[in-house]
Amino acid sequence: MTPSRDPIPPGTLDMLILQTLAQRGEAHGFEIAESIQRHSADVLQVEEGSLYPALQRMLIKGWLVGEWGRTAENRRARYYRLTADGERRLEQEVTSYRRVAHAIGRILLPA
């Protein structure tokens, strides 16, 4: 049975991409999307229409750098890596996410 997939929760796509690159070192877009899907046990699926604009936005903000290369299948692809600003942004986003998740958890499971 295929698990149902859900959209990426609003406001978390950047954090998921940054975390994926922090773990992998560098990856091209398809690898990033595939990694998010795999690590979420197939619950989260990143659509190309969301992924590539997010990557472009993060390049402009200086959170990522991109370099063109070749995949194992000899396809041209842009490989992304975190910058120091990207690492700081990831830390801020994870801290904020944990604070909000904890607050929501307190509401859902009151003492």
Side-chain angles (χ1 to χ4, degrees):
M1 182 172 152
T2 303
S4 64
R5 291 187 176 143
D6 290 313
I8 302 290
T12 62
L13 180 58
D14 289 1
M15 178 179 64
L16 296 174
I17 292 170
L18 293 170
Q19 179 63 30
T20 298
L21 291 171
Q23 292 171 335
R24 294 182 60 113
E26 79 173 10
H28 59 70
F30 180 77
E31 290 174 328
I32 294 168
E34 187 178 67
S35 180
I36 290 170
Q37 185 173 330
R38 187 177 57 254
H39 283 94
S40 71
D42 286 331
V43 173
L44 301 176
Q45 181 174 16
V46 183
E47 302 294 336
E48 282 186 29
S50 300
L51 177 64
Y52 290 100
L55 289 169
Q56 186 61 33
R57 185 177 62 253
M58 290 190 275
L59 283 169
I60 291 169
K61 290 183 176 183
W63 300 345
L64 307 177
V65 291
E67 187 173 319
W68 290 99
R70 293 276 174 189
T71 67
E73 297 80 26
N74 200 30
R75 292 187 183 155
R76 190 167 184 256
R78 195 174 202 177
Y79 286 84
Y80 300 92
R81 284 183 287 111
L82 279 183
T83 64
D85 284 348
E87 290 174 4
R88 283 189 288 276
R89 182 62 188 188
L90 173 60
E91 186 176 318
Q92 292 168 354
E93 293 215 11
V94 169
T95 298
S96 176
Y97 177 80
R98 286 183 174 147
R99 188 176 62 246
V100 170
H102 179 73
I104 291 171
R106 291 174 56 111
I107 293 167
L108 294 176
L109 299 171

